[in-house]
Amino acid sequence: MNSSVLELQGVQTHIGAYHILHGVDLAVPAGQVTMLLGRNGAGKTTTLRTIMGLWAASQGAVHFKGRPIGGPGGQLGTPDIAQLGIAYVPESMGIFTDLTVQENMVLAARAARHAGELDRPRLDWIFGHFPALKKFWLYPAGKLSGGQKQMLAVARAIVEPRALILIDEPSKGLAPSIVHNLITALRELK
């Protein structure tokens, strides 16, 4: 493995009787923003879910920082993959709607057991890019708009430093100005 933080080699994924991924090769360079583009049904979500171990690769290999994390005979579980420093924002956003914005953020921060233990400078940086999260800090996440829920989902992924952040449909539901804030935040993170 060279300077790639993530590599997929010949990855094939079957979901039930359906053969979704057919030999995907992908290298994600360290310190870069990489986008996976394609039409609906091309396998973008399946690729991300396979990287995270939510669906197992039936052939090929997935390596993270040179370590095998996916593929026949070497599949790690999703919690183990996340512990290596990979954050995943699914298209469904994966937020806890009955919990407040604050509680969602605390749950996403492995090092914090309550809001007072969150990295305050990092949280202020997040609020700078997604000010609605500060405004609705004590609101139930389920009462947020679709765009605000997407902001929360992304903020959960970046509340702590991660080696790799996978975001499925990153601009879904976001106003153009917030998309700009998201792009700026991702550039700063890389």
Side-chain angles (χ1 to χ4, degrees):
M1 303 289 129
N2 50 29
S3 63
S4 295
V5 69
L6 177 73
E7 286 195 18
L8 280 69
Q9 302 159 335
V11 170
Q12 297 193 36
T13 300
H14 291 78
I15 301 171
Y18 300 98
H19 190 178
I20 308 297
L21 299 182
H22 298 264
V24 173
D25 293 313
L26 173 70
V28 176
Q32 299 294 316
V33 174
T34 301
M35 295 171 56
L36 185 58
L37 301 172
R39 62 175 171 68
N40 287 344
K44 300 178 300 292
T45 297
T46 300
T47 300
L48 297 180
R49 291 180 64 86
T50 300
I51 292 165
M52 289 305 299
L54 295 165
W55 289 328
S58 52
Q59 287 185 10
V62 180
H63 290 89
F64 176 66
K65 293 183 172 181
R67 175 184 176 175
I69 62 169
Q75 183 65 53
L76 293 180
T78 302
D80 296 323
I81 292 170
Q83 284 292 344
L84 294 174
I86 301 177
Y88 176 53
V89 179
E91 184 177 3
S92 65
M93 297 176 238
I95 62 170
F96 297 96
T97 57
D98 292 338
L99 300 180
T100 65
V101 169
Q102 175 187 38
E103 291 166 334
N104 269 274
M105 294 293 283
V106 170
L107 278 176
R110 293 171 291 185
R113 287 176 289 193
H114 55 79
E117 292 180 347
L118 290 171
D119 179 337
R120 192 65 208 189
R122 191 167 186 97
L123 191 58
D124 288 339
W125 177 81
I126 290 169
F127 289 156
H129 290 287
F130 305 122
L133 298 182
K134 184 174 185 177
K135 179 179 178 181
F136 298 113
W137 189 240
L138 297 176
Y139 279 58
K143 296 197 183 257
L144 299 176
S145 71
Q148 292 163 345
K149 288 176 184 173
Q150 182 71 349
M151 285 183 236
L152 175 57
V154 171
R156 286 171 35 104
I158 62 177
V159 69
E160 289 185 339
R162 312 279 194 216
L164 179 65
I165 302 168
L166 305 173
I167 308 174
D168 196 356
E169 301 289 344
S171 61
K172 181 180 180 179
L174 296 179
S177 62
I178 301 300
V179 171
H180 176 75
N181 290 358
L182 174 63
I183 292 168
T184 301
L186 293 175
R187 281 188 181 136
E188 290 174 15
L189 282 172
K190 76 178 181 109

